[in-house]
Amino acid sequence: MTPTEQEIARYRAALAELMKRCLERIRSMEVPADAPPLQGGPPHE
Amino acid sequence: MNEPWQLGIAAAGRAIAGRALTSSALVRSLLERADHIDGDVKAWVRLARDSALREAARLDAEAAAGRLRGPLHGVPLAIKDIVYTAGIETNVGSTLLAGFVPAEDAPLVRRLREAGAIVLGKSAMTEFAAMDPAPTRNPWNLEHTPGGSSSGSAAAVAACLAPGAIGTQTAGSIIRPASYCGVVGLKPTYDAVERAGVFPCAWSMDHVGPMARSVEDVALLYATLAGDHKHPAGEIDMRIGVADRYFYERADHDTRRAFEETVKTLTAAGARLVQVKLPPSFEAGVDAGIVTMYAEMAAVHRQRFSTQRERYGWKLACLLDAGGEVSAVDYLRAQQVRRIAGAELSSVLSQIQCLMTPSTPAPAPKGLGATGDWTHNLPFSSSGHPALTVPVSLSGAGLPISVQLAARHGGEERLFHCGSMIERLVNFSHKARCR
């Protein structure tokens, strides 16, 4: 099914909003400067 | 006896081992079933008729000679079309990979074959395991989505087109379709099942796991898939956690009712349901997962997308554009947040047997243009903790509703223990779609 231009624009806008919210949350979280990032995937205990 | 196509994995394996059934008869029965109903369900993208029958004959000869490989001997499976299968075309749900025939099996397929399982065919999936749907329909109601991205795997198991299947999950692609189709599905601990030979969606969040119609059958498949990575259960107790936020508040009326009934049933059976406070970083861990997933997807497709953009589905194209805009600094911040949030969630999960949530906010939505909501599944894809979905009830419209169980890393056996208990107590009938 071919989407309309409006559908695509709505989807893009929703995605942009989602990414904005996600980035704001992770940027505003207090993270120690020396906290290492995951490398390759979540660790096992 | 039931028709062969109605049998689950353990039952089929026992019948073959006991010489009450041949693998060839089982494969033929499933192929006839596919001819009969898959025109409606569209779970299969490709059946491996000839190779499956050849392999079944070989395994029957072994069984006749008294050489049984184990509980999967002669049992046919559906393999998601994202997993490489030697000599069987593998398209990952995209026309971009039309004609791609892997020379070798993925190691996980090799393990299954060595254990006596047969590749019956490749199951349909969303394009590159993202948002553009497969043509698959939900066997419980053909007007509803089966979920995705492992759409065909879940639908094949639910419709008795295969006794078990392999799926993959990056956000919610095992738990959600299994839940929507009323089957049992396991998203194992990150890295517990080897991902080599599985086309990547987002490397640090991709998981491979089994689906079947019982916890016992899923556990059988997992034992073969995980091999040495399988952990012992440790001390089993009856403490089941219920989260203080995030899950229940997102659920619709029918899902809340089913969840509350399951809590009551478990409590009456002697389980200790305890409210657990999710860590403050929980939501940030989820959002970090979203940033990670879209950025990694953009990286996976960067080269192909830059030259063949017009051949991508429109939703995936939008996702890849969004993921391509994530900076390296934000990507690394997401990885820092995932590590912190995952460790804090581990600390909560270490105090209970498992955490129980509704598997999805609502039953399978109507329509085939989208594959539903992965909100309840993404937390454990981001953190890498194992999750199991078990069907418990039907909605007013007759669609399955399930609960999701999550445990500490390596806690699959705990999930099987809790899942089996729930399965026994609620007695959900899978047979409704297998007549």
Side-chain angles (χ1 to χ4, degrees):
Chain A
M1 196 173 65
T2 312
T4 63
E5 289 299 320
Q6 270 181 333
E7 273 178 297
I8 296 175
R10 268 201 305 272
Y11 193 73
R12 271 193 196 285
L15 258 179
E17 188 56 39
L18 174 69
M19 291 302 273
K20 182 169 169 262
R21 192 203 72 204
C22 292
L23 288 168
E24 275 172 6
R25 175 132 50 195
I26 65 170
R27 284 171 186 160
S28 65
M29 184 170 150
E30 208 165 299
V31 174
D34 61 351
L38 284 183
Q39 290 178 346
H44 292 208
E45 284 139 25
Chain B
M1 193 177 102
N2 291 329
E3 292 292 330
W5 53 259
Q6 291 176 304
L7 295 172
I9 291 171
R14 280 193 296 269
I16 291 167
R19 311 292 302 278
L21 174 70
T22 63
S23 176
S24 301
L26 177 56
V27 168
R28 277 196 301 274
S29 173
L30 288 163
L31 291 173
E32 282 167 19
R33 172 107 177 131
D35 292 339
H36 184 54
I37 69 160
D38 199 46
D40 290 332
V41 179
K42 301 183 196 304
W44 291 113
V45 67
R46 195 166 299 101
L47 280 161
R49 291 174 189 271
D50 294 345
S51 61
L53 283 166
R54 268 199 313 275
E55 191 63 11
R58 196 159 70 87
L59 289 158
D60 284 337
E62 283 185 20
R67 291 197 306 274
L68 289 167
R69 300 186 186 195
L72 300 184
H73 190 107
V75 176
L77 299 174
I79 308 291
K80 184 175 178 179
D81 203 31
I82 199 167
V83 181
Y84 293 8
T85 41
I88 306 173
E89 192 171 337
T90 299
N91 299 152
V92 200
S94 169
T95 57
L96 281 156
L97 294 186
F100 170 56
V101 181
E104 290 184 2
D105 282 329
L108 77 96
V109 174
R110 208 178 310 137
R111 275 179 180 278
L112 290 168
R113 288 192 200 270
E114 283 166 5
I118 294 169
V119 177
L120 185 61
K122 305 302 288 288
S123 46
M125 58 179 286
T126 63
E127 184 183 358
F128 287 119
M131 302 297 192
D132 299 277
T136 312
R137 294 163 178 266
N138 192 313
W140 291 81
N141 184 330
L142 297 176
E143 292 182 4
H144 288 245
T145 176
S149 62
S150 308
S151 323
S153 294
V157 172
C160 286
L161 289 160
I166 301 303
T168 62
Q169 172 162 321
T170 306
S173 292
I174 291 174
I175 300 295
R176 176 178 37 138
S179 174
Y180 284 172
C181 291
V183 302
V184 179
L186 172 73
K187 182 215 73 85
T189 303
Y190 182 78
D191 252 356
V193 177
E194 194 174 347
R195 285 172 289 115
V198 178
F199 193 92
C201 181
W203 300 282
S204 74
M205 290 176 60
D206 289 345
H207 301 71
V208 182
M211 297 181 189
R213 292 189 292 274
S214 71
V215 175
E216 179 191 14
D217 285 357
V218 161
L220 276 178
L221 286 175
Y222 178 67
T224 298
L225 290 169
D228 294 341
H229 286 99
K230 195 166 166 283
H231 290 68
E235 194 185 332
I236 297 283
D237 66 35
M238 298 282 271
R239 274 173 310 148
I240 298 175
V242 175
D244 65 335
R245 65 177 198 275
Y246 189 86
F247 297 98
Y248 185 85
E249 66 202 37
R250 288 173 156 80
D252 74 355
H253 173 77
D254 279 0
T255 305
R256 286 184 177 195
R257 179 189 49 78
F259 187 75
E260 285 160 9
E261 280 173 12
T262 307
V263 167
K264 274 187 204 153
T265 304
L266 283 166
T267 306
R272 213 176 119 212
L273 276 289
V274 291
Q275 192 181 71
V276 298
K277 197 168 161 41
L278 293 175
S281 60
F282 186 82
E283 285 81 0
V286 175
D287 288 350
I290 293 172
V291 171
T292 302
M293 179 169 67
Y294 290 166
E296 291 188 9
M297 284 169 72
V300 167
H301 290 276
R302 184 176 185 174
Q303 197 172 342
R304 196 177 267 126
F305 189 54
S306 68
T307 56
Q308 301 182 77
R309 182 189 177 96
E310 70 288 352
R311 294 185 64 190
Y312 278 78
W314 68 275
K315 287 184 184 172
L316 180 53
C318 294
L319 291 184
L320 297 178
D321 283 336
E325 287 175 13
V326 175
S327 73
V329 174
D330 282 330
Y331 176 79
L332 285 166
R333 168 55 70 111
Q335 301 312 304
Q336 286 177 304
V337 170
R338 282 178 71 199
R339 183 185 282 273
I340 293 167
E344 290 183 3
L345 184 56
S346 287
S347 162
V348 169
L349 293 172
S350 71
Q351 293 162 34
I352 49 177
Q353 180 75 4
C354 58
L355 179 73
M356 185 170 82
T357 77
S359 293
T360 56
K366 192 170 184 180
L368 302 174
T371 57
D373 185 343
W374 39 247
T375 318
H376 286 198
N377 319 123
L378 187 64
F380 309 110
S381 295
S382 181
S383 70
H385 293 105
L388 180 78
T389 180
V390 181
V392 293
S393 183
L394 293 178
S395 69
L399 291 160
I401 300 177
S402 308
V403 294
Q404 171 179 246
L405 304 169
R408 68 186 192 188
H409 291 125
E412 281 82 358
E413 293 299 320
R414 291 169 171 242
L415 298 181
F416 297 148
H417 178 83
C418 283
S420 296
M421 181 169 64
I422 291 170
E423 192 174 53
R424 209 168 43 245
L425 291 169
V426 304
N427 200 24
F428 181 84
S429 175
H430 295 277
K431 290 188 176 166
R433 296 298 104 188
C434 287
R435 291 191 191 116

